[in-house]
Amino acid sequence: MSNLISSLRSVAVTRYVTPLREGGSLPAIAEADDGFLYVLKFRGAGQGVKSLIAELIGGEVARALGLRVPEIVFAGLDAAFGRSEPDEEIQDLLKASVGLNLGLHYLQGAITFDPVVNRVEEWTASQVVWLDCLLTNVDRTARNTNMLVWNKELWLIDHGAALYFHHSWDNWEEQALRPFVQVKDHVLLPRATQLGAVDSAFRSVLTPPVIEGIVGLLPDEWLSDSPANVSWGLSPDGIRAVYAQFLINRVANSTIFVNEALHARKAII
């Protein structure tokens, strides 16, 4: 596990390959100027830049903890891109997404994790459950696991539904200390037998400087329309400080969400 936070690469999207019609966000496979394919998450879709912020923070926190996440890149979309796209819905999405978007390296040949078929070690299951309790990620259920198996290894994807406090920003300090009751629906909870040991290990990794380094990756461009900017007049640095403190407070008080997970697990086994 590494505490070093590096900057993200930036690429320019050159070709729209195919949509991935999952939910209402309409991500797509796209090619960039580095020759690689990416799963592109659009700023003009669904919850807009909030889902990109959650995706970036969630993915990079997972990576800092030693979990496998596809490389995340900033993906620039030019105003001229997609003008020839015949699908009006996609064309509207591309027009609304001009500027900085987010891409995850496309794992060619990966299969969706199936809890009936694929078995996860108890340590790994405990790590993923702890991560999602920290991030308040509601989207890792049996119905929608948001995990892939690639080269016989487990990879985590799609953290856009995490950090749901930032949809309103009301009482964020209080929200940072709340248990994560939705853990009862987590697909890996039955296998998460080592939450206490994981808690000890992960708290030592996610120090305030590591968290601040991850949050510092957020570009100003994504923060200008935040409710914290519009309602409170916070600068981009001020908004980053709130994200960082939210996570720092949750790590410092992780016993709250770990106990909730232990209680939820006891109820289902």
Side-chain angles (χ1 to χ4, degrees), residues 242-265:
V242 173
Y243 278 110
Q245 196 59 54
F246 176 86
L247 291 171
I248 290 168
N249 290 353
R250 282 192 72 75
V251 171
N253 296 276
S254 62
T255 301
I256 295 173
F257 64 71
V258 169
N259 285 342
E260 179 67 27
L262 291 170
H263 176 74
R265 185 174 181 277

Side-chain angles (χ1 to χ4, degrees), residues 43 54 66 69 77 81 99 107 118 146 152 159 167 182 228 232 261:
R43 62 186 298 163
V69 181
L77 200 63
F81 187 83
L107 303 181
N118 306 115
N146 283 323
K152 299 182 179 181
H159 297 93
H167 293 288
Q182 291 89 342
W232 302 349

Side-chain angles (χ1 to χ4, degrees), residues 57-63 65 67 69 125-137 140 156 159 186 195 198 202 206 257:
I57 292 177
E60 292 307 314
V61 166
R63 196 185 317 280
L65 293 172
L67 295 163
V69 181
S126 301
Q127 288 180 308
V128 177
V129 169
W130 192 97
L131 169 74
D132 289 333
C133 288
L134 169 72
L135 298 173
T136 63
N137 180 20
R140 192 103 64 199
L156 307 183
H159 297 93
H186 199 289
L195 286 167
V198 166
F202 277 3
L206 282 185
F257 64 71

Side-chain angles (χ1 to χ4, degrees), residues 18 44 71 182:
T18 186
E71 182 191 8
Q182 291 89 342

Side-chain angles (χ1 to χ4, degrees), residues 64-133:
L65 293 172
L67 295 163
R68 295 182 182 88
V69 181
E71 182 191 8
I72 298 173
V73 299
F74 292 123
L77 200 63
D78 187 83
F81 187 83
R83 287 177 179 170
S84 60
E85 170 59 47
D87 186 310
E88 290 187 8
E89 181 183 12
I90 294 175
Q91 189 173 112
D92 289 343
L93 176 63
L94 297 176
K95 288 178 180 178
S97 301
V98 170
L100 206 58
N101 297 273
L102 198 72
L104 285 85
H105 191 88
Y106 179 58
L107 303 181
Q108 184 75 42
I111 61 173
T112 300
F113 173 83
D114 184 338
V116 176
V117 176
N118 306 115
R119 188 172 180 84
V120 176
E121 294 180 355
E122 294 177 357
W123 178 257
T124 302
S126 301
Q127 288 180 308
V128 177
V129 169
W130 192 97
L131 169 74
D132 289 333
C133 288

